[in-house]
Amino acid sequence: MAPTLDDILDTFQKQVEALVAEVAQVQNKAFRKALYVSMLDGLSACAYPNETKSGQRFKTFVLDVAGWKDGERVSLPQAALYCQADAAMSAEIARLLAAWPWGRPQSIAADPLPDQIPAHKDLFRLQHANLLWQFRNHVLHAFADPGGFDIGDRAEPYYMGDASTHTWRLVMPEQFLRDLLLGGLKGLIAFCRKNGQAPQAHLGKELWV
């Protein structure tokens, strides 16, 4: 008797959850982060097997399937660096950043949504969903965490400010990556059930290419 879609989804979910539990046993934190974002990327392929642009697939997945609401926010510190040639945009960003206190972590919830700041053709590059994709590229292709060491077990990305240099460093905490992965898995199961889609149906059985 062929397995039902519910059987397939239940088996798949248990397999991924078992892998997540194994990752938690890895001693190196940077490696754990790399594994979490790699698995998140893999889940995005299960949801959108026909999307050939991996970055677009990944970002759509974390926003629409994993339900990361802050992923749409625009990073003010990154915008300050990117938009230096735009006087009006730079002035508005500087005004907003001036309200951030130095000396303690700053949640990305303080970052604005796109409709809360002046329009700019490249705002999508500065949204956190895209920055998470760039983080993924750094840890997988350059073996480097661009945010550096994260403090504690914060569940959301945050900034650490350096008053001496007036810079803010964006940190992607391990706990956030793990929670987003598990949330993405839960969302994927619901997505596949709604669409009658097996998560591994896009994989070949004999031909690998």
Side-chain angles (χ1 to χ4, degrees), residues 78-136:
Q78 289 291 305
L81 295 171
Y82 191 86
C83 300
Q84 294 181 60
D86 186 326
M89 177 67 86
S90 292
E92 177 61 13
I93 294 168
R95 183 186 70 82
L96 294 171
L97 281 175
W100 288 16
W102 300 103
R104 65 171 183 262
Q106 179 70 50
S107 169
I108 66 167
D111 281 326
L113 292 168
D115 62 358
Q116 295 174 325
I117 54 176
H120 191 286
K121 64 182 180 65
D122 288 335
L123 280 186
F124 73 95
R125 298 180 184 276
L126 308 168
Q127 288 180 285
H128 282 283
N130 187 60
L131 297 179
L132 180 61
W133 172 249
Q134 299 304 325
F135 173 87
R136 173 257 188 211

Coordinates of all heavy atoms in Angstrom, one line a residue, residues 78-136:
Q78 N 22.8 49.3 7.9 CA 23.2 49.0 6.6 C 22.8 50.0 5.6 O 23.5 50.3 4.6 CB 22.6 47.6 6.2 CG 23.2 46.4 6.9 CD 24.6 46.2 6.5 OE1 24.9 46.0 5.3 NE2 25.5 46.1 7.5
A79 N 21.6 50.6 5.8 CA 21.2 51.7 4.9 C 22.1 52.9 5.0 O 22.3 53.6 4.0 CB 19.7 52.1 5.2
A80 N 22.6 53.2 6.2 CA 23.5 54.3 6.4 C 24.7 54.2 5.6 O 25.3 55.2 5.0 CB 23.8 54.5 7.9
L81 N 25.2 53.0 5.5 CA 26.4 52.7 4.7 C 26.1 52.7 3.2 O 26.9 53.2 2.4 CB 27.0 51.3 5.1 CG 27.5 51.2 6.5 CD1 27.9 49.8 6.8 CD2 28.8 52.1 6.7
Y82 N 25.0 52.1 2.8 CA 24.7 51.9 1.4 C 24.2 53.2 0.7 O 24.5 53.4 -0.5 CB 23.6 50.9 1.3 CG 23.3 50.4 -0.1 CD1 24.1 49.4 -0.7 CD2 22.3 51.0 -0.9 CE1 23.8 48.9 -2.0 CE2 22.1 50.5 -2.2 CZ 22.9 49.5 -2.7 OH 22.7 49.1 -4.0
C83 N 23.5 54.1 1.5 CA 22.9 55.3 0.9 C 23.7 56.6 1.1 O 23.1 57.7 1.1 CB 21.5 55.4 1.4 SG 20.4 54.0 1.0
Q84 N 25.0 56.5 1.3 CA 25.8 57.7 1.7 C 25.7 58.7 0.6 O 25.8 59.9 0.8 CB 27.2 57.3 1.9 CG 27.4 56.4 3.2 CD 28.8 56.1 3.4 OE1 29.7 56.9 3.6 NE2 29.1 54.8 3.4
A85 N 25.5 58.3 -0.7 CA 25.5 59.3 -1.8 C 24.1 60.0 -1.9 O 24.0 60.9 -2.7 CB 25.8 58.6 -3.1
D86 N 23.1 59.5 -1.2 CA 21.8 60.1 -1.2 C 21.6 61.0 0.0 O 21.3 60.5 1.1 CB 20.7 59.0 -1.3 CG 19.3 59.5 -1.5 OD1 19.0 60.6 -1.0 OD2 18.5 58.7 -2.1
A87 N 21.7 62.3 -0.2 CA 21.7 63.2 0.9 C 20.4 63.2 1.7 O 20.4 63.1 3.0 CB 21.9 64.6 0.4
A88 N 19.3 63.1 1.1 CA 18.0 63.1 1.7 C 17.8 61.8 2.5 O 17.4 61.9 3.7 CB 16.9 63.3 0.7
M89 N 18.1 60.7 1.9 CA 18.0 59.4 2.6 C 19.0 59.3 3.8 O 18.6 58.9 4.9 CB 18.3 58.3 1.6 CG 18.2 56.9 2.3 SD 16.6 56.4 2.8 CE 15.9 55.7 1.3
S90 N 20.2 59.8 3.6 CA 21.2 59.8 4.7 C 20.8 60.6 5.9 O 20.9 60.2 7.0 CB 22.5 60.3 4.2 OG 23.1 59.4 3.2
A91 N 20.2 61.7 5.6 CA 19.7 62.6 6.7 C 18.6 61.9 7.5 O 18.6 62.0 8.7 CB 19.2 63.9 6.1
E92 N 17.7 61.3 6.8 CA 16.6 60.6 7.5 C 17.1 59.4 8.3 O 16.6 59.2 9.4 CB 15.5 60.2 6.5 CG 14.3 59.4 7.1 CD 13.5 60.2 8.1 OE1 13.7 61.4 8.2 OE2 12.7 59.6 8.8
I93 N 18.0 58.7 7.7 CA 18.5 57.5 8.4 C 19.3 58.0 9.7 O 19.2 57.4 10.8 CB 19.5 56.7 7.5 CG1 18.7 56.1 6.4 CG2 20.2 55.6 8.3 CD1 19.5 55.5 5.3
A94 N 20.1 59.0 9.5 CA 20.8 59.6 10.7 C 19.9 60.0 11.8 O 20.2 59.8 13.0 CB 21.7 60.7 10.2
R95 N 18.8 60.6 11.4 CA 17.8 61.1 12.4 C 17.2 59.9 13.2 O 17.1 59.9 14.4 CB 16.7 61.8 11.7 CG 15.7 62.4 12.7 CD 14.5 63.0 11.9 NE 13.7 62.0 11.3 CZ 12.7 61.3 11.9 NH1 12.5 61.5 13.2 NH2 12.0 60.4 11.3
L96 N 16.9 58.8 12.5 CA 16.4 57.6 13.1 C 17.4 56.9 14.0 O 17.1 56.5 15.1 CB 15.8 56.7 12.1 CG 14.6 57.2 11.3 CD1 14.3 56.3 10.1 CD2 13.4 57.4 12.2
L97 N 18.6 56.8 13.5 CA 19.7 56.2 14.3 C 20.1 56.9 15.5 O 20.5 56.4 16.5 CB 20.9 56.0 13.4 CG 20.9 54.8 12.4 CD1 22.1 54.8 11.5 CD2 20.7 53.5 13.1
A98 N 19.9 58.3 15.5 CA 20.3 59.1 16.7 C 19.5 58.7 17.9 O 19.9 59.0 19.0 CB 20.1 60.6 16.3
A99 N 18.3 58.1 17.7 CA 17.5 57.7 18.9 C 17.9 56.4 19.5 O 17.4 56.0 20.6 CB 16.0 57.6 18.4
W100 N 18.8 55.7 18.8 CA 19.3 54.4 19.4 C 20.3 54.6 20.5 O 21.3 55.3 20.3 CB 19.9 53.5 18.3 CG 18.9 53.0 17.3 CD1 17.6 53.4 17.1 CD2 19.1 51.9 16.4 NE1 17.0 52.7 16.1 CE2 18.0 51.8 15.6 CE3 20.2 51.1 16.1 CZ2 17.8 50.8 14.6 CZ3 20.1 50.2 15.1 CH2 18.9 50.0 14.4
P101 N 20.1 54.0 21.7 CA 21.1 54.2 22.7 C 22.3 53.3 22.6 O 22.2 52.1 22.2 CB 20.3 53.8 24.0 CG 19.3 52.8 23.5 CD 19.0 53.3 22.1
W102 N 23.5 53.8 22.9 CA 24.7 53.0 22.9 C 24.8 52.2 24.1 O 24.1 52.5 25.1 CB 25.9 53.9 22.7 CG 26.0 54.7 21.5 CD1 25.7 56.1 21.4 CD2 26.3 54.3 20.2 NE1 25.8 56.5 20.1 CE2 26.2 55.4 19.3 CE3 26.6 53.1 19.6 CZ2 26.4 55.4 18.0 CZ3 26.9 53.0 18.2 CH2 26.8 54.2 17.4
G103 N 25.5 51.1 24.1 CA 25.8 50.4 25.3 C 25.0 49.2 25.6 O 25.2 48.5 26.6
R104 N 24.0 49.0 24.8 CA 23.1 47.8 25.0 C 22.6 47.3 23.6 O 22.5 48.0 22.7 CB 22.0 48.1 25.9 CG 20.9 49.0 25.5 CD 19.8 49.0 26.4 NE 18.7 49.9 26.0 CZ 18.5 51.1 26.4 NH1 19.3 51.6 27.3 NH2 17.5 51.8 26.0
P105 N 22.3 46.0 23.6 CA 21.8 45.4 22.3 C 20.5 46.2 21.8 O 19.7 46.6 22.6 CB 21.5 44.0 22.6 CG 22.3 43.7 23.8 CD 22.4 44.9 24.6
Q106 N 20.4 46.3 20.5 CA 19.3 47.0 19.9 C 18.6 46.0 19.0 O 19.2 45.5 18.0 CB 19.8 48.2 19.1 CG 18.7 48.9 18.3 CD 17.8 49.7 19.3 OE1 18.2 50.4 20.2 NE2 16.5 49.5 19.2
S107 N 17.3 45.7 19.3 CA 16.5 44.8 18.5 C 16.3 45.3 17.1 O 16.2 46.5 16.8 CB 15.2 44.5 19.1 OG 14.3 43.8 18.3
I108 N 16.2 44.4 16.1 CA 15.9 44.8 14.7 C 14.5 45.2 14.6 O 14.1 45.8 13.6 CB 16.2 43.7 13.7 CG1 15.3 42.5 13.9 CG2 17.7 43.3 13.7 CD1 15.3 41.5 12.7
A109 N 13.7 45.0 15.7 CA 12.3 45.5 15.7 C 12.3 47.1 15.6 O 11.3 47.7 15.3 CB 11.5 45.1 16.9
A110 N 13.4 47.7 15.9 CA 13.6 49.2 15.8 C 13.8 49.6 14.4 O 13.7 50.8 14.1 CB 14.7 49.7 16.7
D111 N 14.1 48.7 13.5 CA 14.3 49.0 12.1 C 12.9 49.3 11.5 O 11.9 48.7 11.8 CB 15.0 47.9 11.4 CG 16.5 47.9 11.6 OD1 17.1 49.0 11.7 OD2 17.0 46.8 11.6
P112 N 12.8 50.2 10.5 CA 11.5 50.6 9.9 C 11.2 49.6 8.8 O 12.0 48.8 8.3 CB 11.8 51.9 9.3 CG 13.3 51.9 8.9 CD 13.9 51.1 10.0
L113 N 9.9 49.5 8.5 CA 9.4 48.8 7.3 C 9.6 49.7 6.1 O 9.7 51.0 6.3 CB 7.9 48.5 7.5 CG 7.6 47.4 8.6 CD1 6.1 47.4 8.9 CD2 8.2 46.1 8.2
P114 N 9.6 49.2 4.9 CA 9.9 50.0 3.7 C 9.0 51.3 3.6 O 9.5 52.3 3.1 CB 9.7 49.0 2.6 CG 10.0 47.7 3.2 CD 9.4 47.8 4.6
D115 N 7.7 51.2 4.0 CA 6.8 52.3 3.8 C 7.0 53.4 4.9 O 6.3 54.4 4.9 CB 5.4 51.8 3.7 CG 4.9 51.1 5.0 OD1 5.7 51.0 5.9 OD2 3.7 50.7 5.0
Q116 N 7.9 53.1 5.8 CA 8.1 54.1 6.9 C 9.4 55.0 6.7 O 9.7 55.8 7.5 CB 8.3 53.3 8.2 CG 7.0 52.6 8.6 CD 7.2 51.7 9.9 OE1 8.3 51.1 10.1 NE2 6.2 51.6 10.7
I117 N 10.0 54.8 5.6 CA 11.2 55.7 5.2 C 11.1 56.1 3.8 O 10.3 55.5 3.0 CB 12.5 54.9 5.5 CG1 12.6 53.6 4.7 CG2 12.8 54.7 7.0 CD1 13.9 52.9 4.9
P118 N 11.9 57.1 3.3 CA 11.8 57.5 1.9 C 12.0 56.3 1.0 O 12.8 55.4 1.3 CB 12.9 58.6 1.8 CG 13.0 59.1 3.2 CD 12.8 57.9 4.1
A119 N 11.4 56.4 -0.2 CA 11.5 55.3 -1.2 C 12.9 55.3 -1.7 O 13.6 56.4 -1.9 CB 10.5 55.5 -2.3
H120 N 13.4 54.1 -2.1 CA 14.7 54.0 -2.7 C 14.7 52.7 -3.5 O 14.2 51.7 -3.0 CB 15.8 53.9 -1.6 CG 17.2 54.1 -2.2 ND1 17.8 53.0 -2.9 CD2 18.1 55.1 -2.2 CE1 19.0 53.4 -3.2 NE2 19.2 54.7 -2.8
K121 N 15.2 52.7 -4.7 CA 15.1 51.6 -5.6 C 15.8 50.3 -5.0 O 15.5 49.2 -5.4 CB 15.7 51.9 -6.9 CG 17.2 52.2 -7.0 CD 17.6 52.6 -8.4 CE 19.1 52.9 -8.5 NZ 20.0 51.7 -8.1
D122 N 16.8 50.5 -4.1 CA 17.5 49.4 -3.6 C 17.2 49.0 -2.2 O 17.9 48.2 -1.5 CB 19.0 49.7 -3.7 CG 19.6 49.7 -5.1 OD1 19.0 49.0 -5.9 OD2 20.6 50.3 -5.3
L123 N 16.0 49.4 -1.7 CA 15.6 49.0 -0.3 C 15.6 47.5 -0.1 O 15.9 47.1 1.0 CB 14.3 49.7 0.1 CG 14.3 51.1 0.5 CD1 12.9 51.5 0.9 CD2 15.3 51.4 1.5
F124 N 15.2 46.8 -1.1 CA 15.1 45.3 -1.0 C 16.5 44.7 -0.6 O 16.5 43.7 0.1 CB 14.6 44.7 -2.2 CG 15.6 44.7 -3.4 CD1 16.4 43.5 -3.6 CD2 15.8 45.7 -4.2 CE1 17.3 43.5 -4.6 CE2 16.7 45.7 -5.2 CZ 17.5 44.6 -5.4
R125 N 17.5 45.3 -1.0 CA 18.9 44.8 -0.6 C 19.2 45.0 0.9 O 20.0 44.2 1.4 CB 20.0 45.6 -1.4 CG 19.9 45.5 -2.9 CD 21.0 46.2 -3.5 NE 21.0 46.2 -5.0 CZ 21.4 45.2 -5.8 NH1 22.0 44.2 -5.2 NH2 21.3 45.3 -7.1
L126 N 18.5 45.9 1.5 CA 18.8 46.2 2.9 C 17.7 45.6 3.8 O 17.8 45.8 5.1 CB 18.8 47.8 3.1 CG 19.7 48.5 2.1 CD1 19.4 50.0 2.1 CD2 21.2 48.2 2.4
Q127 N 16.8 44.9 3.3 CA 15.8 44.2 4.1 C 16.4 43.0 4.8 O 17.3 42.4 4.2 CB 14.6 43.8 3.3 CG 13.7 45.0 2.9 CD 12.5 44.6 2.1 OE1 12.6 44.3 0.9 NE2 11.3 44.6 2.7
H128 N 15.9 42.7 6.0 CA 16.6 41.6 6.7 C 16.5 40.2 6.1 O 17.4 39.4 6.3 CB 16.0 41.6 8.2 CG 16.6 42.6 9.0 ND1 17.9 42.6 9.6 CD2 16.1 43.9 9.4 CE1 18.1 43.7 10.3 NE2 17.1 44.5 10.2
A129 N 15.5 40.0 5.3 CA 15.4 38.7 4.6 C 16.6 38.6 3.6 O 17.2 37.5 3.5 CB 14.1 38.6 3.8
N130 N 17.0 39.7 3.0 CA 18.1 39.6 2.1 C 19.4 39.6 2.8 O 20.4 38.9 2.4 CB 18.1 40.9 1.1 CG 19.2 40.8 0.1 OD1 19.2 39.8 -0.7 ND2 20.1 41.7 0.1
L131 N 19.5 40.3 4.0 CA 20.7 40.2 4.8 C 20.9 38.8 5.4 O 22.0 38.4 5.5 CB 20.6 41.3 5.9 CG 20.5 42.7 5.5 CD1 20.4 43.6 6.7 CD2 21.7 43.1 4.6
L132 N 19.8 38.1 5.7 CA 19.9 36.7 6.1 C 20.5 35.9 5.0 O 21.3 35.0 5.2 CB 18.6 36.2 6.6 CG 18.6 34.7 7.1 CD1 19.5 34.5 8.3 CD2 17.2 34.3 7.4
W133 N 20.1 36.1 3.7 CA 20.7 35.4 2.6 C 22.1 35.7 2.5 O 22.9 34.8 2.2 CB 19.9 35.8 1.3 CG 20.5 35.3 0.1 CD1 21.1 36.0 -0.9 CD2 20.6 33.9 -0.4 NE1 21.6 35.2 -1.9 CE2 21.2 33.9 -1.6 CE3 20.1 32.7 0.2 CZ2 21.5 32.8 -2.3 CZ3 20.4 31.6 -0.5 CH2 21.0 31.6 -1.8
Q134 N 22.5 37.0 2.7 CA 23.9 37.3 2.6 C 24.7 36.7 3.7 O 25.9 36.2 3.6 CB 24.1 38.9 2.7 CG 23.5 39.6 1.5 CD 23.9 39.2 0.1 OE1 25.1 38.8 0.0 NE2 23.0 39.2 -0.8
F135 N 24.1 36.6 4.9 CA 24.7 35.9 6.0 C 24.9 34.4 5.6 O 26.0 33.9 5.9 CB 23.8 35.9 7.2 CG 24.2 35.1 8.4 CD1 25.1 35.6 9.3 CD2 23.7 33.8 8.6 CE1 25.5 34.8 10.4 CE2 24.1 33.0 9.6 CZ 25.0 33.5 10.6
R136 N 23.9 33.8 5.0 CA 24.1 32.4 4.6 C 25.3 32.3 3.6 O 26.0 31.3 3.7 CB 22.8 32.0 3.9 CG 22.8 30.6 3.2 CD 22.9 30.8 1.7 NE 22.8 29.6 1.0 CZ 23.4 29.3 -0.2 NH1 24.2 30.2 -0.7 NH2 23.2 28.1 -0.8

